[in-house]
Amino acid sequence: GRIPSSFPLTQTVKRSVVLHNQRLTAVFLCRRVTMRGASTGIVYGGLKYQARSIADVKADTDHTSFLAGTLSLKEENEVHLIRLSPPGSELVCEGLFYHPNEIWDLKSCPFNPRIFSTVYTSGETYGASVWQIPELNSQSNAPQLEHLISLNEHSFKIKCVLWWPSGKHDKLISIDEGNLFLWSIDTSNKMAKVISQESVGMLHNLSGGAWDPHDRNAVAGICDSSLEFWDLRTMKKTSSIEQAHARDVDYNPKKQHLLVTAEDVSGIRLWDLRRPKCPVKELPGHAHWTWAVRHNPEYDELILSAGTDSTVNLWLAHPPGANDSIPVDSPKRPKDSLLNSYTDYEDSVYGLAWSTREPSVFASLSYDGRVVVESVKSYIRRK
């Protein structure tokens, strides 16, 4: 419904799902569209409502899959399980599930493809929960999500839930505006217990964070105009980066001590935590706010960013030290650059997710509910 009729339709997939206890049939459409930069993207047209949250189903080693959650104020919201067909030519909805409230954050469990977390609000109330997707089969009725755990110790507005990204771990982190919580979870027995909590104080506000994939005891938090770093063993702050007006942060998955931020004024900054006083690289970002930034899980010199200028940018940004053996003025020294801009959006882009199973593929989600899956294979350097 949101895809302009001017786009050429070369693939249409219709898949009807009768929702549980509802006399409503949802129809999902996939269209392949040509974008600027001689690339093609696949648009998923199944999200009926506004949306901000999309996640790679990292634990699904058999399929390239994503979860997307909607953000409707008046309607019952939905979580869509979306899969890329094996030829990579179409997107298929493998499951649609009701979610009771507006989804502001969604993360997939990195070791169980059926488990994910959401942060949600309903009017003045807020919460965070862990859910399980039921076993999918050929039945016509859409089964209900199984509620596993409520993270209900928060007294401030919850901003995000973090899973440790590098393997199975029985801990979760949740961040609200004033506190960081470390939980011990047992999804099999539907139990969660707060291990420790740290407050940033009444004069500061947390808005997000990232868990270091190289160190399960290290976490970064976005706090007002700085990045704060904590040791989860003591819940004490270990260091900070000042004057970092970040909206998003992501660790380099291949190299320790390196991370990237999306910032209001400065666009995109790359940092080396061993030298935190100033960034090691800066990229211009977007024409408006740069909202999200993600390192590629395999090719760490590739970085995605998304912004409120209705654009996704693909950057080539070599990690610090990668070209130290090549003189700065040498024509053989690779340069950082903007590789491509993807502009097939009519609204701000808040959601980005690389595929872990297929690192040359990413999904993006704009506020009007449009999911676009792209391949960057042509930009990957052959080693």
Side-chain angles (χ1 to χ4, degrees):
R2 297 183 182 87
I3 305 171
S5 58
S6 59
F7 285 129
L9 176 62
T10 61
Q11 287 279 359
T12 301
V13 176
K14 295 184 178 180
R15 184 181 179 93
S16 298
V17 180
V18 181
L19 303 179
H20 186 65
N21 294 332
Q22 297 287 330
R23 304 174 65 88
L24 175 65
T25 300
V27 179
F28 303 98
L29 302 177
C30 298
R31 296 188 178 189
R32 179 176 293 280
V33 297
T34 300
M35 296 186 188
R36 191 175 73 189
S39 61
T40 55
I42 305 172
V43 176
Y44 174 75
L47 270 64
K48 297 183 293 183
Y49 312 124
Q50 294 172 327
R52 298 172 72 104
S53 302
I54 192 165
D56 168 45
V57 185
K58 185 175 184 178
D60 186 354
T61 57
D62 297 324
H63 310 92
T64 300
S65 306
F66 302 94
L67 285 170
T70 64
L71 189 70
S72 173
L73 179 62
K74 297 182 179 180
E75 304 293 338
E76 190 164 28
N77 285 280
E78 300 170 349
V79 174
H80 291 236
L81 174 59
I82 306 166
R83 284 179 181 164
L84 185 65
S85 66
S89 59
E90 59 192 33
L91 292 167
V92 178
C93 179
E94 290 293 335
L96 183 153
F97 312 99
Y98 277 146
H99 186 279
N101 301 302
E102 305 168 49
I103 301 171
W104 286 86
D105 175 76
L106 185 153
K107 302 287 195 325
S108 181
C109 172
F111 53 84
N112 188 326
R114 293 172 54 208
I115 293 176
F116 66 96
S117 61
T118 60
V119 172
Y120 48 85
T121 61
S122 177
E124 296 299 317
T125 64
Y126 45 83
S129 292
V130 177
W131 308 84
Q132 180 167 278
I133 295 172
E135 291 285 356
L136 300 174
N137 51 43
S138 59
Q139 65 182 27
S140 59
N141 287 344
Q144 298 296 294
L145 290 172
E146 181 181 0
H147 185 267
L148 298 181
I149 294 169
S150 290
L151 307 178
N152 54 10
E153 296 294 324
H154 290 268
S155 56
F156 292 85
K157 185 177 180 180
I158 307 170
K159 308 303 289 188
C160 66
V161 170
L162 305 177
W163 300 79
W164 190 56
S166 293
K168 191 168 185 178
H169 193 32
D170 61 350
K171 305 293 189 297
L172 267 187
I173 292 172
S174 58
I175 295 175
D176 66 29
E177 290 181 335
N179 303 274
L180 184 146
F181 287 81
L182 179 65
W183 301 79
S184 173
I185 62 165
D186 181 350
T187 55
S188 299
N189 294 310
K190 301 183 179 181
M191 297 176 59
K193 180 182 178 181
V194 175
I195 300 174
S196 52
Q197 172 190 357
E198 177 63 19
S199 172
V200 295
M202 295 299 293
L203 299 179
H204 300 284
N205 285 288
L206 287 165
S207 59
W211 203 335
D212 189 341
H214 308 286
D215 183 354
R216 65 174 58 184
N217 294 311
V219 63
I222 301 171
C223 183
D224 296 326
S225 60
S226 65
L227 281 178
E228 309 289 340
F229 300 90
W230 285 274
D231 186 328
L232 296 176
R233 293 166 294 190
T234 62
M235 293 302 275
K236 299 299 182 184
K237 189 171 74 170
T238 57
S239 63
S240 64
I241 295 176
E242 303 300 328
Q243 301 304 314
H245 300 265
R247 291 185 177 272
D248 198 16
V249 59
D250 191 41
Y251 281 90
N252 186 313
K254 293 294 184 179
K255 296 179 175 62
Q256 284 184 289
H257 313 297
L258 304 180
L259 54 78
V260 61
T261 56
E263 305 204 16
D264 284 351
V265 178
S266 304
I268 299 165
R269 286 178 161 184
L270 281 74
W271 303 86
D272 187 330
L273 299 183
R274 294 163 295 185
R275 301 183 293 275
K277 290 188 177 181
C278 59
V280 291
K281 289 180 184 288
E282 294 192 56
L283 302 170
H286 290 254
H288 203 244
W289 291 331
T290 304
W291 201 273
V293 65
R294 294 286 182 273
H295 275 288
N296 186 283
E298 182 63 30
Y299 311 101
D300 62 318
E301 71 273 13
L302 294 181
I303 294 174
L304 280 177
S305 64
T308 52
D309 58 354
S310 306
T311 300
V312 173
N313 285 335
L314 175 67
W315 304 90
L316 177 66
H318 300 279
N323 300 310
D324 285 354
S325 60
I326 305 174
V328 174
D329 56 353
S330 171
K332 295 183 179 181
R333 186 181 179 99
K335 306 295 184 183
D336 298 333
S337 62
L338 173 63
L339 296 178
N340 198 16
S341 289
Y342 305 92
T343 58
D344 185 52
Y345 310 94
E346 297 176 355
D347 212 331
S348 299
V349 183
Y350 294 116
L352 280 178
W354 287 104
S355 168
T356 303
R357 177 179 177 270
E358 201 169 348
S360 62
V361 169
F362 74 86
S364 55
L365 174 63
S366 54
Y367 189 60
D368 58 357
R370 172 174 297 188
V371 175
V372 180
V373 169
E374 271 285 356
S375 172
V376 301
K377 190 172 293 185
S378 61
Y379 299 104
I380 295 173
R381 292 186 302 163
R382 290 169 176 81
K383 297 182 180 180

